[in-house]
Amino acid sequence: MTDEEIRSIVLRVLGEIAPEADLSEIKPDADLRDQLDIDSMDFLNFMIALHRELHLEIPEADYAKLFTLNKCVQYLAAASASNP
Amino acid sequence: MAEFVMPSLGADMAAGTLVAWRKRPGDAVRRGDIIAEVETDKGLIEVEVFTRGVIEKVLIEPGAQVPVGAVMAIIREEAKSGRIETATGGEDLAVKPRETLPVTTVPTGQTSSPPEVVSPLFPSRLRISPAARKLAAELGVGLISVKGTGPAGRITRQDIERAAQVERIAPATPEIATSRQDKMRQAIATAMARSKREIPHYYLSTTIDMSGALKWLTQENMKRPVEERLLYAVLLIKAVALALREIPELNAFWVEGQAVPSRAVNVGIAISLRQGGLVAPALHDTDQQSLDQLMKNFRDLVKRARAGSLRSSDLSDSTITVTNLGDQGVETVFGIIYPPQVALVGFGKVVERPWSQEGQIVSRPVITASLSADHRVSDGHRGGLFLAAMDRFLQEPSQL
């Protein structure tokens, strides 16, 4: 899966969690939680949705590695590559 | 016979609009069945019935605005004790004078078997997709006025978008608030102003060492697939519920000049809605649920609250409210009690702080827990004992 495909999935999932948000305005290196007013329940739902979409186990200890859009794509791309 | 009345879904609700009956005359109902859908400032609410019997007749037509306590239907109870019970959730509405309520009687002509043809009065359940329902809640579109263009009259997302556009282009009364968010804001304002005016609040707070609880939670979550992981908020909620068992006067309602304790511990969770405003639906029997059950029900409650699909018992049964503003970076909450409740518990964010332990200064993750309580019902001494009990429970997370 390419980085662009992963980015597209991440944005789609975020759109479901924060339907009122304008996803085109997301700053890729800024914290998603602040930009989209995501609380801990939303973030857990984000992790669950990514797990369902990409069939990847994301340990809780790694959550901080997914706090920005760019970091998220980077983490998921690496995890996908090591778990084809 | 029992009367099914418009339930009070909180101190801030004066009336609701009947959108659709989900049961018809002749239908059998039992406790917990959804009997109607009602539009309120908090969204479209599925209203449950709390008696067992057969619908004798309905008195209200869909589209009518119905005051809280007004009789909407008559239910023929199953013969058990012969006692007449009101079919309401939440507060006891039996004392409300029926003659003051503007009730339109609608002859049904059906008393024993369901009618063959569905009357226009009974469009059964509102046909709407979950996505459209969610969008309506977000845009503040009242469903009663939306005409469905989907299969069998189903309301689609496009119908909601169209209705929202019409409301934007031609607001009926531009000078007054008309959107659901505005109405919700007004309802919250009314309830909170009443609370501050009538309830002599006192406030206490304590700092709780969360290191043991968070360590336990981290180890627990490492063993769990992502769908089954717990949030630390669930530990806080359970600790509140268990502490209420020790200080039950905080788990009560103030009704007609006196405190009425609640046997059930139903912790209401303040949930902010993405389109603005908040609701505080109940986690029923919080003290009796395992952490896994609580987490499952908590997730479901947040999901339904934000999708605008709460049930009447969700909104009418809370015996205390918990608000957690830690995600927003808040350190201490000074909450306002939601009447007729008599206490509210607030939590801030978990922060690392210097902590003295056995003569050593160490760094510990701590949280500030606060209690807002009604001084007519409890004193600071009991409030302090409540916070101490909560702290004690959080030091033994595996026992929660």
Side-chain angles (χ1 to χ4, degrees):
Chain A
M1 190 173 282
T2 67
D3 284 8
E4 273 318 300
E5 285 169 329
I6 291 174
R7 185 178 296 267
S8 161
I9 290 171
V10 169
L11 287 172
R12 176 160 52 77
V13 168
L14 287 172
E16 286 164 11
I17 289 168
E20 80 291 354
D22 183 351
L23 300 178
S24 65
E25 302 230 322
I26 289 181
K27 294 175 185 144
D29 291 313
D31 197 318
L32 288 167
R33 297 169 303 166
D34 297 335
Q35 295 186 82
L36 301 177
D37 194 14
I38 284 177
D39 61 21
S40 44
M41 181 67 83
D42 292 326
F43 197 80
L44 177 61
N45 287 332
F46 180 42
M47 294 296 105
I48 291 171
L50 289 179
H51 166 73
R52 285 185 183 152
E53 292 278 346
L54 300 166
H55 310 290
L56 293 172
E57 278 298 334
I58 306 171
E60 194 181 44
D62 286 353
Y63 284 2
K65 297 175 183 171
L66 294 99
F67 283 167
T68 74
L69 181 59
N70 278 349
K71 277 184 172 180
C72 204
V73 173
Q74 196 180 347
Y75 177 92
L76 296 170
S80 287
S82 62
N83 185 26
Chain B
M1 293 292 173
E3 294 172 342
F4 173 76
V5 305
M6 174 64 77
S8 169
L9 307 177
D12 46 2
M13 175 174 164
T17 302
L18 175 66
V19 174
W21 285 106
R22 296 265 289 265
K23 298 286 182 183
R24 293 177 285 173
D27 282 355
V29 291
R30 57 185 178 178
R31 186 180 172 83
D33 280 357
I34 308 294
I35 187 171
E37 295 189 13
V38 170
E39 184 94 32
T40 74
D41 297 336
K42 296 184 174 78
L44 190 68
I45 307 296
E46 295 179 326
V47 181
E48 297 143 293
V49 67
F50 289 89
T51 197
R52 191 184 178 99
V54 175
I55 308 269
E56 183 76 16
K57 60 180 173 181
V58 298
L59 307 171
I60 304 288
E61 294 184 40
Q65 198 182 44
V66 187
V68 166
V71 180
M72 298 172 69
I74 303 295
I75 298 171
R76 182 161 24 92
E77 290 176 288
E78 281 190 348
K80 256 196 313 192
S81 64
R83 193 164 62 92
I84 292 176
E85 295 172 356
T86 51
T88 68
E91 63 184 15
D92 182 6
L93 298 166
V95 295
K96 298 204 173 182
R98 188 177 172 180
E99 62 271 19
T100 63
L101 305 170
V103 175
T104 308
T105 302
V106 181
T108 63
Q110 290 286 340
T111 53
S112 57
S113 58
E116 289 295 316
V117 180
V118 177
S119 151
L121 280 181
F122 309 106
S124 65
R125 69 169 297 171
L126 190 71
R127 292 187 175 90
I128 180 168
S129 69
R133 189 186 288 268
K134 190 175 176 190
L135 186 66
E138 286 159 13
L139 298 177
V141 171
L143 294 174
I144 192 72
S145 56
V146 179
K147 183 174 165 55
T149 60
R154 192 178 174 88
I155 298 173
T156 65
R157 278 180 66 93
Q158 289 72 29
D159 295 328
I160 299 296
E161 283 163 0
R162 208 174 299 123
Q165 206 167 20
V166 168
E167 282 184 14
R168 274 197 297 272
I169 293 167
T173 47
E175 295 302 317
I176 57 170
T178 52
S179 74
R180 181 177 298 148
Q181 288 97 315
D182 291 337
K183 286 179 188 165
M184 181 180 280
R185 192 73 261 153
Q186 287 177 344
I188 292 169
T190 303
M192 294 299 100
R194 176 187 154 197
S195 175
K196 272 291 192 179
R197 193 170 54 243
E198 295 179 2
I199 301 176
H201 287 64
Y202 70 88
Y203 305 93
L204 305 174
S205 75
T206 191
T207 306
I208 298 175
D209 177 3
M210 289 290 286
S211 55
L214 294 180
K215 189 176 172 190
W216 177 85
L217 187 68
T218 301
Q219 288 170 348
E220 192 61 32
N221 279 344
M222 278 170 71
K223 296 182 240 166
R224 294 166 176 256
V226 64
E227 294 98 333
E228 293 174 18
R229 286 179 197 155
L230 305 172
L231 294 174
Y232 76 81
V234 172
L235 307 187
L236 303 177
I237 293 165
K238 185 67 183 286
V240 167
L242 295 177
L244 284 172
R245 281 188 189 166
E246 295 187 10
I247 315 292
E249 59 264 47
L250 297 178
N251 189 57
F253 299 110
W254 182 262
V255 183
E256 295 179 356
Q258 61 179 340
V260 180
S262 168
R263 206 175 299 166
V265 176
N266 300 328
V267 174
I269 309 295
I271 299 172
S272 62
L273 304 179
R274 300 202 70 90
Q275 65 273 21
L278 82 161
V279 289
L283 282 168
H284 290 89
D285 300 318
T286 318
D287 57 327
Q288 293 174 39
Q289 294 188 45
S290 68
L291 291 176
D292 284 322
Q293 288 170 322
L294 271 180
M295 184 66 207
K296 181 169 173 276
N297 292 332
F298 182 30
R299 276 188 69 201
D300 175 61
L301 210 53
V302 173
K303 184 178 169 190
R304 288 192 294 111
R306 291 185 173 156
S309 58
L310 288 170
R311 291 189 281 270
S312 53
S313 59
D314 295 326
L315 290 168
S316 62
D317 292 355
S318 298
T319 55
I320 191 171
T321 298
V322 167
T323 181
N324 177 7
L325 293 171
D327 283 328
Q328 286 69 43
V330 169
E331 285 203 28
T332 309
V333 175
F334 306 95
I336 300 176
I337 299 165
Y338 187 52
Q341 295 166 24
V342 299
L344 176 143
V345 180
F347 292 102
K349 67 176 176 179
V350 175
V351 290
E352 286 284 334
R353 287 281 185 269
W355 194 260
S356 173
Q357 187 185 26
E358 296 170 0
Q360 301 289 315
I361 301 294
V362 294
S363 177
R364 284 288 167 89
V366 300
I367 195 166
T368 300
S370 63
L371 170 72
S372 307
D374 186 336
H375 222 325
R376 296 172 299 186
V377 181
S378 66
D379 299 321
H381 176 71
R382 296 292 284 168
L385 290 176
F386 168 78
L387 289 176
M390 223 170 58
D391 187 340
R392 180 161 38 82
F393 284 117
L394 285 167
Q395 302 315 312
E396 294 189 56
S398 62
Q399 304 301 310
L400 286 171

